[in-house]
């Protein structure tokens, strides 16, 4: 029955072109073969399975790629796709394909009968292993839950006889076979496609396909999605005219398509023979004891898994992790992903990873990706994007750089598929979120070395997602490196347990509560090992003062301490406090430079302020830049930037974060000789201690941790020697407070309730752990997040903020910051590509309490602007020419000096 060759996979009615289903199936098959043989390295296959051979995996992957759109061989799909073109419908009818008009309610409700589900169903009827059939059902990113009924009634004229009982409440009789008088036709045409595909695969029976487990099914689904998306790119595999001869040169079509795809080969690091020489080659210096121990640990382990390095700030943890990533070459790793807390830290590390990546291959191109919402602002990344535009051409620009940003990896969901990826922690957390196409994230992470920096910085909510991701990475045998300066041992234990997937090797183990420092904890197979490392760096004696209370005392303190010059850093817990302090300090000290940095500056201005900060306080700064500088900032600077201050003032916060902030005090010994005599002793003044904590600090961190931090904080600290002991005392309840404050028990109860609620909220949106399901159909059973913006908000719900674009009124038009921009944009027409990109960069975060007061329709992007991929579905705040906007009870005011100020206005 040759009619099956006229089944449609896709069409373009405006251009009069289409693509037969069998041709698209072959395109996808050959792309899959290309990925298996050229892109997916041994390390990727190693992560796929420990029980299936390469040949068995390849057979399954090629089977699902050829059959991925089997469900399009149905009345519903063919009627739907041909309804947009009379010429296409005429061609189908002419060649014997029976289609129906779309005026039938059941046909119009096509979205409830997706072809992916139809394909899964057809294969189940053919007795395909359910775990493999579920891959077909999930290849559009959302596994089908058979427990969910499809809406609508089964038409009276449909034949139900012979349908398996599991489908009786579904509309699959229509979806698969159509109307009663057409049933045999569609059964026959589907049988023809099935027989053709099985003959092509040289498979006589589906019995040869082995069942797969959930981890294998997730990765195979990711691979099918990747192959399908590449095969669906019309630049690679073009559509054909309606009257085109179907006997054209298929071999040449595939050859040209693969050449245009031209994915860079996966990273294959050289085997390490001499760690010292490698470090000198990569970074220009010999490894210190900590870095060398990291490399040696990986090289000596038979089955290295997760490594947790707890070490002081400034000892070279970044270099240690990159060297360790190369040491994993014995496990045939195929890439590296470096996750960090913020966009600023990601940008800083990205520059270093570029330098490191350029040393990885002199012969092959390697793909790189900066993965966060503001990547397009990064100059280094944009230059690589420009070089990567011609990935299939032998241009001079392409040849001069061995790191490129391939077009295919630019999409948010494909970002992790590149060889080297630097991004925010969201990218790791999203691997555990119930979101369409999560399989691509898993495919991108497996086979890589996953490095997660500042792993202490995530709250109980985010840790739920992180631990679930570690469970999956452990099953994939993906190497993971966690880095932290200050890590409570309870968190260390939970990370190890999550990765191992069980607790049998953790009960009663001595490594669980070690307070050694620096400390390396790692797994070799199912065994956990630990070693206290040598530290040969500098030791810092910090005098801690908790008697300073208010801004009056801070001003007096600065006046006394900076009389001979020097610089100070003031870390405050809220944007509002930072803005208030900056205002007062500018008035109090007109002869000093006050730098304000927080999260509510527009992104381009925040980047400029970070550069200004580093010019005055960075490692290369000198006395003339540093003297009489006062930095005022929030949490965004405690992890983001490598700078150094002579004097530190900070709001009270949990101990691990407080010590992190202290890491910026006398950080660089190169500045010691230039510090004023008054500031030779490192001094940290802690605000907000006493009987009543600052209200907003309690709101952010909870009173329980603040009480414990205040109690265990010493008047004199020796860093890094005291770090581990003092952090563990704060987080381990066996260390009691004597006497116990009257409000302590309530604070403790409130903390437990808050953490329980956070975990419960997170669990509602997490995918299930691996190893519990026979198919992947129920991995996303409910609460599926649709778009990337909501997804990132979901995994960072603890941050309580919303992202907006901010523009200014300019007559009848809009403009970007009027103090730097004279451009105008009409709301009646969509800005061009470059204008849209610039507008999309004008983004800011406002607190969630403010966004809840603003009605959604007040933040709508102009309708015409939704045509831009940069601006579509964005939220927009339009300020007047003075930078103000009053909405309901809120006044928004933006200035380049203070950022966004949000105030409540009540009569």
């Amino acid at each position: 029955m040759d009619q099956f060759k006229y089944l449609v996979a896709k069409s373009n009615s405006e251009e009069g072109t289409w693509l037969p289903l069998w041709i698209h199936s072959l395109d996808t098959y050959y792309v899959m073969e290309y990925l298996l043989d050229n892109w997916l390295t041994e390390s990727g296959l190693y992560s796929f399975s420990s029980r299936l051979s390469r040949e068995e995996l390849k057979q399954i992957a090629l089977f699902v790629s050829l059959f991925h759109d089997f469900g399009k061989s149905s009345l519903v799909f063919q009627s739907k796709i041909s309804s947009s073109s009379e010429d296409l419908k005429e061609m189908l009818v002419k060649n014997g394909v029976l289609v129906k008009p779309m005026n039938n309610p059941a046909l119009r409700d096509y979205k409830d009968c997706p072809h992916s589900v139809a394909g899964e169903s057809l294969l189940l009827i053919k007795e395909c292993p359910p775990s493999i059939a579920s891959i077909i059902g999930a290849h559009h990113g959302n596994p089908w839950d058979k427990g969910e009924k499809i809406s609508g009634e089964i038409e009276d004229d449909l034949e139900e006889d012979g349908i398996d009982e599991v489908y009786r409440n579904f509309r699959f009789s229509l979806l698969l076979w159509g109307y009663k008088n057409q049933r045999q036709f569609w059964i026959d045409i589907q049988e023809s496609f099935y027989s053709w595909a099985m003959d092509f695969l040289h498979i006589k029976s589906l019995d040869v396909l082995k069942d797969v487990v959930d981890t294998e099914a997730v990765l195979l689904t990711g691979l099918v999605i990747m192959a399908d998306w590449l095969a669906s790119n019309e630049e690679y595999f073009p559509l054909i005219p309606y009257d085109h001869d179907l006997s054209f040169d298929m071999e040449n079509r595939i050859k040209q398509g693969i050449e245009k795809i031209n994915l860079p080969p996966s990273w294959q690091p050289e085997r390490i023979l001499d760690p010292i020489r490698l470090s000198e080659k990569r970074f220009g210096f010999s490894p210190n004891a900590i870095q060398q121990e990291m490399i040696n640990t990986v090289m000596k382990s038979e089955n290295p898994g997760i490594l947790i390095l707890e070490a002081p700030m400034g000892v070279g943890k970044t270099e240690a992790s990159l060297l360790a990533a190369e040491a994993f070459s014995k496990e045939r790793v195929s890439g590296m992903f470096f996750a960090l807390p913020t966009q600023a830290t990601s940008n800083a590390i990205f520059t270093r990873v570029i330098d490191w990546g350029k040393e990885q291959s002199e012969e092959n191109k390697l793909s790189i990706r900066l993965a966060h919402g503001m990547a397009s602002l990064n100059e280094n990344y944009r230059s690589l994007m420009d070089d990567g535009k011609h990935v299939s051409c032998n241009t001079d620009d392409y040849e001069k750089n061995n790191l490129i940003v391939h077009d295919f990896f630019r999409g948010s969901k494909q970002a992790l598929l590149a060889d080297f990826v630097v991004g925010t922690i969201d990218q790791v957390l999203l691997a555990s979120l119930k979101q369409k196409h999560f399989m691509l994230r898993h495919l991108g992470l497996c086979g890589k070395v996953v490095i997660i920096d500042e792993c202490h910085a995530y709250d109980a909510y985010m840790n739920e997602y992180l631990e679930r991701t570690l469970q999956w990475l452990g099953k994939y045998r993906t190497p993971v490196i966690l880095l932290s300066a200050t890590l409570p041992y309870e968190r260390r234990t939970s990370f190890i347990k999550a990765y191992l997937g069980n607790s049998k090797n953790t009960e009663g183990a001595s490594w669980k509560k070690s307070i050694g420092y620096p400390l390396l904890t790692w797994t070799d197979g199912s065994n956990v090992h630990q070693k206290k490392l040598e530290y040969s760096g500098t030791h810092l004696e910090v005098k801690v003062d908790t008697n300073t209370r208010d801004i009056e005392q801070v001003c007096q303190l600065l006046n006394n301490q900076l009389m001979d010059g020097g610089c100070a850093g003031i870390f405050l817990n809220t944007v509002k406090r930072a803005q208030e302090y900056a205002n007062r300090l500018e008035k109090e000290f007109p002869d000093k430079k006050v730098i304000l940095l927080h999260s509510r500056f527009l992104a381009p201005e925040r980047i400029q302020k970070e550069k200004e900060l580093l010019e005055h306080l960075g490692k290369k700064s000198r006395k003339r830049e540093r003297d009489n500088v006062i930095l005022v900032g929030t949490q965004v600077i405690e992890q983001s930037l490598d700078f150094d201050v002579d004097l530190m003032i900070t709001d009270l916060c949990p101990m691990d974060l407080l010590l992190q902030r202290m890491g910026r005090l006398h950080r660089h010994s190169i500045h010691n000789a230039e510090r004023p005599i008054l500031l030779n002793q490192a001094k940290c003044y802690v605000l907000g201690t006493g009987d009543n904590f600052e209200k907003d600090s309690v709101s952010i961190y909870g009173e329980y941790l603040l009480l414990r931090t205040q109690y265990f904080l010493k008047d004199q600290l020796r860093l890094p020697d005291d770090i581990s002991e003092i952090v563990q005392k704060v987080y381990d309840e066996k260390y009691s407070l004597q006497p116990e404050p009257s409000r302590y028990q309530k604070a403790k109860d409130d903390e437990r309730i808050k953490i329980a609620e956070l975990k419960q909220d997170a669990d509602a949106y997490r995918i299930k752990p691996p190893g519990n399901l026979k198919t992947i159909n129920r991995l996303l059973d409910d609460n599926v997040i649709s778009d990337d913006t909501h997804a990132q908000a979901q995994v960072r719900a603890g941050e309580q903020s919303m992202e907006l674009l901010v523009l200014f009124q300019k007559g009848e038009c809009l403009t970007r910051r009027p103090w730097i921009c004279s451009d105008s944009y009409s709301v009646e027409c969509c800005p061009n590509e470059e204008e849209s990109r610039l507008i999309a960069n004008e983004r800011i975060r406002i607190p969630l309490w403010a966004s809840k007061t603003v009605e959604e329709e007040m933040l709508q992007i102009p309708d015409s602007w939704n045509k831009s991929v940069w601006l579509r579905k964005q939220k927009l705040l339009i300020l007047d020419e003075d930078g103000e906007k009053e909405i309901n009870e809120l006044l928004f005011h933006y200035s380049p000096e203070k950022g966004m100020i949000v105030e409540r206005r009540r009569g």
Side-chain angles (χ1 to χ4, degrees):
M1 189 176 186
D2 289 339
Q3 287 102 324
F4 86 88
K5 289 205 170 182
Y6 287 91
L7 295 174
V8 185
K10 52 195 304 188
S11 71
N12 186 326
S13 58
E14 293 181 1
E15 298 182 2
T17 56
W18 74 303
L19 196 64
L21 176 59
W22 70 277
I23 293 179
H24 175 62
S25 299
L26 286 177
D27 290 345
T28 310
Y29 171 92
Y30 283 111
V31 171
M32 176 66 80
E33 189 175 57
Y34 162 73
L35 294 177
L36 291 170
D37 294 342
N38 298 278
W39 181 77
L40 190 64
T41 62
E42 289 296 325
S43 62
L45 289 168
Y46 177 80
S47 299
F48 263 70
S49 179
S50 60
R51 59 184 201 90
L52 297 178
S53 67
R54 182 188 181 102
E55 290 71 26
E56 290 168 333
L57 273 171
K58 185 171 183 178
Q59 182 182 55
I60 297 170
L62 292 175
F63 173 84
V64 293
S65 64
L66 193 65
F67 274 99
H68 78 284
D69 273 350
F70 190 20
K72 289 183 177 180
S73 62
S74 65
L75 168 68
V76 172
F77 184 86
Q78 295 301 313
S79 297
K80 170 73 174 179
I81 197 169
S82 62
S83 66
S84 61
S85 169
E86 287 299 322
D87 291 338
L88 180 59
K89 185 186 298 183
E90 181 180 338
M91 183 192 69
L92 293 181
V93 173
K94 177 183 176 181
N95 289 280
V97 179
L98 303 179
V99 294
K100 286 278 186 177
M102 292 299 294
N103 56 7
N104 185 288
L107 289 174
R108 288 202 307 268
D109 208 13
Y110 164 73
K111 68 179 185 298
D112 288 335
C113 302
H115 70 266
S116 56
V117 176
E120 178 179 355
S121 306
L122 285 169
L123 287 175
L124 287 174
I125 291 170
K126 293 290 187 182
E127 297 186 350
C128 176
S131 61
I132 293 177
S134 69
I135 296 171
I136 304 298
H139 86 271
H140 277 283
N142 196 355
W144 175 57
D145 176 11
K146 292 189 179 66
E148 181 182 351
K149 295 185 178 183
I150 293 177
S151 61
E153 298 294 328
I154 295 178
E155 300 296 317
D156 293 338
D157 58 344
L158 300 180
E159 178 64 62
E160 294 188 62
D161 294 343
I163 302 177
D164 191 280
E165 183 65 28
V166 74
Y167 302 124
R168 285 210 177 271
N169 292 324
F170 301 81
R171 299 168 62 208
F172 287 110
S173 54
L174 173 64
L175 182 61
L176 304 182
W177 295 309
Y179 293 87
K180 183 176 182 179
N181 61 357
Q182 292 185 358
R183 177 185 176 193
Q184 193 57 50
F185 169 80
W186 287 103
I187 290 176
D188 290 343
I189 204 170
Q190 290 160 2
E191 183 63 35
S192 297
F193 181 92
Y194 176 80
S195 298
W196 164 81
M198 294 290 281
D199 288 343
F200 181 84
L201 292 167
H202 304 292
I203 296 177
K204 293 182 179 180
S205 170
L206 295 180
D207 292 342
V208 301
L209 300 177
K210 290 190 175 183
D211 249 317
V212 294
V213 299
D214 52 5
T215 51
E216 296 161 350
V218 167
L219 296 180
L220 283 164
T221 304
L223 204 55
V224 172
I225 294 171
M226 184 178 179
D228 186 24
W229 286 5
L230 287 167
S232 297
N233 187 319
E234 294 172 17
E235 292 184 14
Y236 304 155
F237 299 95
L239 306 188
I240 61 175
Y242 291 152
D243 59 355
H244 195 286
D245 184 359
L246 296 188
S247 61
F248 61 92
D249 187 352
M250 194 69 192
E251 181 178 348
N252 191 52
R253 172 185 174 84
I254 298 302
K255 179 181 178 182
Q256 291 182 358
I258 296 298
E259 287 177 352
K260 290 176 181 177
I261 291 174
N262 191 29
L263 291 178
S266 294
W267 178 46
Q268 297 183 32
E270 61 185 78
R271 188 172 292 276
I272 295 178
L273 299 177
D274 186 341
I276 295 177
R277 290 187 61 185
L278 179 69
S279 178
E280 291 172 345
K281 179 181 178 182
R282 295 287 186 259
F283 307 116
F285 55 78
S286 297
N288 59 33
I290 291 175
Q291 293 163 342
Q292 190 151 345
E293 192 63 47
M294 282 275 284
I295 303 173
N296 291 336
T297 296
V298 175
M299 293 177 66
K300 291 176 182 178
S301 299
E302 292 293 326
N303 296 291
I306 185 171
L307 293 86
I308 303 177
L309 174 62
E310 301 166 56
M313 296 71 78
V315 300
K317 292 192 290 293
T318 297
E319 290 80 6
S321 60
L322 291 174
L323 292 171
E326 291 193 63
F328 276 107
S329 60
K330 70 180 281 189
E331 299 301 323
R332 304 180 304 277
V333 297
S334 60
M336 183 276 301
F337 175 68
F338 211 124
L340 300 113
T342 65
Q343 293 180 359
T345 45
S346 300
N347 289 336
I349 293 296
F350 184 67
T351 303
R352 297 161 75 178
V353 169
I354 287 176
D355 294 337
W356 172 79
K358 287 178 179 178
E359 297 291 328
Q360 297 302 312
S361 176
E362 297 178 356
E363 300 177 359
N364 295 321
K365 301 291 179 185
L366 295 171
S367 57
I368 193 167
R369 181 69 156 81
L370 179 60
H372 63 65
M374 299 305 297
S376 62
L377 272 176
N378 186 285
E379 295 176 3
N380 292 316
Y381 183 62
R382 284 183 57 77
S383 68
L384 294 174
M385 287 177 68
D386 293 338
D387 285 342
K389 284 181 180 177
H390 308 289
V391 293
S392 60
C393 303
N394 292 320
T395 63
D396 291 340
D397 284 342
Y398 178 73
E399 292 300 324
K400 72 182 181 182
N401 198 347
N402 68 331
L403 288 179
I404 63 168
V405 179
H406 191 281
D407 283 340
F408 182 71
F409 301 139
R410 294 188 191 183
S412 60
K413 293 181 178 179
Q414 303 102 285
L416 302 192
L417 297 170
D419 293 303
F420 304 136
V421 187
V422 177
T424 53
I425 187 64
D426 309 68
Q427 305 300 325
V428 173
L429 306 182
L430 287 169
S432 292
L433 183 70
K434 292 178 180 178
Q435 185 188 21
K436 284 186 68 176
H437 302 110
F438 77 94
M439 309 87 166
L440 285 172
R441 295 190 185 277
H442 284 236
L443 181 64
L445 290 174
C446 87
K448 285 184 170 64
V449 178
V450 177
I451 304 169
I452 302 175
D453 199 6
E454 308 285 4
C455 63
H456 65 277
Y458 312 120
D459 59 25
Y461 182 89
M462 297 169 73
N463 275 326
E464 290 296 292
Y465 289 101
L466 178 54
E467 289 175 24
R468 181 56 49 85
T469 299
L470 289 175
Q471 287 180 299
W472 283 88
L473 294 179
K475 286 291 186 180
Y476 296 143
R477 297 170 294 169
T478 296
V480 175
I481 299 173
L482 302 181
L483 305 175
S484 178
T486 55
L487 188 65
Y489 48 55
E490 182 182 73
R491 198 163 296 175
R492 175 203 309 155
T493 302
S494 65
F495 290 152
I496 295 287
K497 289 172 66 174
Y499 187 86
L500 290 178
N502 61 69
S503 59
K504 65 180 182 180
N505 293 315
T506 63
E507 298 305 322
S510 60
W511 60 266
K512 290 175 64 176
K513 295 198 173 184
S514 171
I515 61 171
Y517 196 80
L519 192 67
L520 183 64
T521 309
W522 72 97
T523 63
D524 188 351
S526 60
N527 298 314
V528 184
H529 305 275
Q530 192 175 72
K531 183 176 183 179
K532 182 179 182 300
L533 306 179
E534 293 182 17
Y535 175 72
S536 57
T538 59
H539 295 264
L540 181 66
E541 300 285 346
V542 180
K543 181 181 178 182
V544 179
D545 185 296
T546 58
N547 296 315
T548 304
R549 294 284 185 267
D550 55 34
I551 195 167
E552 301 295 337
Q553 292 175 304
V554 168
C555 289
Q556 185 61 45
L557 172 67
L558 291 172
N559 189 59
N560 294 335
Q561 294 291 312
L562 299 183
M563 65 172 58
D564 296 328
C567 56
I570 304 177
F571 295 73
L572 301 164
N573 289 341
T574 67
V575 174
K576 182 179 180 181
R577 276 173 64 76
Q579 291 169 330
E580 290 172 349
Y581 265 67
N583 275 336
R584 175 63 185 275
L585 294 174
E586 285 176 347
K587 294 175 183 177
E588 193 76 22
F589 301 103
D591 59 331
K592 300 189 188 302
K593 182 174 186 61
V594 177
I595 300 175
L596 175 64
L597 182 58
H598 54 70
S599 61
R600 286 188 218 152
F601 281 101
L602 286 166
E605 294 196 332
R606 180 169 161 182
I607 290 174
Q608 290 302 315
K609 285 185 169 292
E610 288 171 355
K611 289 182 179 179
E612 180 185 28
L613 186 156
L614 292 176
E615 287 172 2
H616 285 279
L617 303 177
K619 191 170 186 178
K620 295 181 180 180
S621 63
R622 289 295 176 263
K623 184 174 177 59
R624 63 178 178 274
E625 291 99 18
R626 298 168 61 80
D627 268 355
N628 298 309
V629 172
I630 303 174
L631 169 66
V632 182
T634 58
Q635 296 94 320
V636 298
I637 61 174
E638 71 190 32
Q639 304 154 335
S640 303
L641 302 164
D642 183 15
F643 65 92
D644 167 292
V645 293
D646 302 328
L647 172 72
M648 177 176 162
I649 302 169
T650 175
D651 274 340
L652 181 67
C653 60
M655 185 66 76
D656 48 340
L657 302 182
L658 185 60
L659 292 168
Q660 188 75 22
R661 294 178 184 184
M662 287 186 192
R664 269 63 188 172
L665 178 60
H666 288 213
R667 180 183 181 93
H668 299 133
S669 58
I670 192 173
H671 296 138
N672 287 346
E674 299 176 336
R675 302 190 203 280
I677 295 176
L678 283 173
L679 303 176
N680 275 341
Q681 164 73 55
K683 288 173 280 190
C684 175
Y685 295 83
V686 182
L687 310 175
T689 61
D691 294 334
N692 296 302
F693 296 143
E694 203 270 327
K695 182 179 178 181
D696 286 338
S697 296
V698 173
S699 176
I700 296 169
Y701 298 117
E703 194 169 28
Y704 172 74
L705 284 178
L706 296 181
L707 283 169
R708 293 186 66 84
T709 297
Q710 176 177 264
Y711 181 85
F712 289 108
L713 186 60
K714 302 177 181 178
D715 294 337
Q716 190 86 12
L717 291 175
R718 179 174 170 81
L719 305 180
D721 307 57
D722 293 339
I723 287 178
S724 183
E725 179 185 1
I726 196 171
V727 168
Q728 308 314 335
K729 283 183 176 180
V730 169
Y731 282 91
D732 190 341
E733 292 184 359
K734 79 175 184 182
Y735 297 99
S736 60
L737 278 58
Q738 299 294 337
E740 191 175 278
S742 58
R743 64 191 192 277
Y744 179 74
Q745 190 57 50
K746 182 181 184 303
K748 183 177 180 180
D749 293 339
D750 289 345
E751 181 74 5
R752 286 176 174 172
I753 292 171
K754 182 184 78 172
I755 290 176
E757 289 175 346
L758 287 173
K759 289 184 176 182
Q760 184 176 5
D761 291 344
D763 197 54
Y765 292 92
R766 289 190 306 170
I767 63 174
K768 291 180 172 58
N772 296 326
L773 298 172
K774 293 183 179 179
T775 73
I776 60 173
N777 280 333
R778 292 186 180 272
L779 276 176
L780 303 185
D781 51 3
D782 55 13
N783 296 328
V784 178
I785 306 296
S786 56
D787 62 88
D788 290 340
T789 300
H790 285 104
Q792 292 184 6
Q794 188 62 45
V795 296
R796 282 185 180 259
E799 290 198 350
Q800 302 294 296
S801 62
M802 180 177 73
E803 193 170 69
L804 299 172
L805 302 183
V806 177
L807 293 178
F808 298 78
Q809 198 74 48
K810 186 178 182 181
E812 297 298 318
C813 298
L814 302 178
T815 187
R816 293 180 289 122
R817 289 158 287 143
W819 51 92
I820 60 99
C821 177
S822 59
D823 297 342
S824 295
Y825 310 109
S826 170
V827 298
E828 301 299 328
C829 58
C830 186
N832 63 36
E833 174 81 6
E834 181 60 17
E835 290 172 338
S836 295
R837 185 188 65 80
L838 291 172
I839 293 171
N841 289 336
E842 301 293 310
R843 60 184 66 224
I844 200 169
R845 286 194 172 275
I846 64 171
L848 192 62
W849 62 263
S851 66
K852 287 181 176 179
T853 308
V854 179
E855 296 176 22
E856 192 77 13
E857 58 268 21
M858 295 179 177
L859 300 174
Q860 294 298 319
I861 207 86
D863 289 341
S864 62
W865 290 20
N866 277 304
K867 296 177 183 178
S868 167
V869 295
W870 292 93
L871 304 177
R872 187 180 303 139
K873 296 182 180 179
Q874 297 292 321
K875 293 181 175 64
L876 174 64
L877 176 64
I878 301 174
L879 305 178
D880 63 24
E881 294 180 359
D882 296 323
E884 291 189 350
K885 177 75 171 183
E886 188 166 352
I887 304 178
N888 296 340
E889 299 174 349
L890 296 181
L891 176 65
F892 294 87
H893 178 79
Y894 187 87
S895 72
E897 296 78 25
K898 298 297 182 293
M900 182 69 78
I901 298 173
V902 187
E903 296 178 331
R904 293 188 186 275
R905 286 288 182 92
R906 289 195 172 95

